[in-house]
Amino acid sequence: MHVAHLALTDFRSYDAVDLGLEPGVTAFVGPNGQGKTNLVEALGYVASHSSHRVATDGPLVRQGAARAIVRSVVVRDDRRALIELEITPGRANRARLNRSPVSRPRDVVGMLRTVLFAPEDLAMVKGDPGERRRYLDDLLVARAPRFAGVRADYDRVLKQRGALL
């Protein structure tokens, strides 16, 4: 499995970017603040529909833009899949697979599988058990995408419980 193409429109600091990628190791190199982490974050968003940096989708949309679009071509077993995600803060996000709309954006979770280790992940080792549980939940959804809905329902119930308490 590899990502053959990544295109971003109004995602984080990018007005527009269009990258062709080859199989194997890819390194994004450049000075600080140039958007290298934004590219990695976009790939992670395609894989999991969440960011490793922020809790909500709002900051993913470039300031002043109404929505962000992430397009990725994923090659798996010599089959290409075009995954398009439209991120609109305050509204439901939309997804397309091979240019056809899908009923729920989470239906494309698992088309791309990634593993990300970032400096903030050290909290997993040093911090609260909640960080370790969150990481295990992320792994479960990556391995078995059908659990994405179960996890979303569970998170919603936890928020309701917290609000009631």
Side-chain angles (χ1 to χ4, degrees), residues 32-47:
N32 288 341
Q34 298 302 304
K36 299 177 299 291
T37 304
N38 295 347
L39 297 173
V40 173
E41 183 177 25
L43 290 170
Y45 196 87
V46 170

Side-chain angles (χ1 to χ4, degrees), residues 70-72 82-86 94-99:
V70 179
R71 288 181 187 90
S72 179
L82 172 63
I83 301 167
E84 298 174 283
L85 302 173
E86 183 179 317
R94 293 190 287 182
R96 296 167 63 98
L97 180 60
N98 294 326
R99 304 215 184 272

Side-chain angles (χ1 to χ4, degrees), residues 69-90:
I69 298 174
V70 179
R71 288 181 187 90
S72 179
V73 175
V74 176
V75 178
R76 187 161 137 184
D77 299 327
D78 294 327
R79 297 180 68 195
R80 298 171 75 84
L82 172 63
I83 301 167
E84 298 174 283
L85 302 173
E86 183 179 317
I87 305 165
T88 309

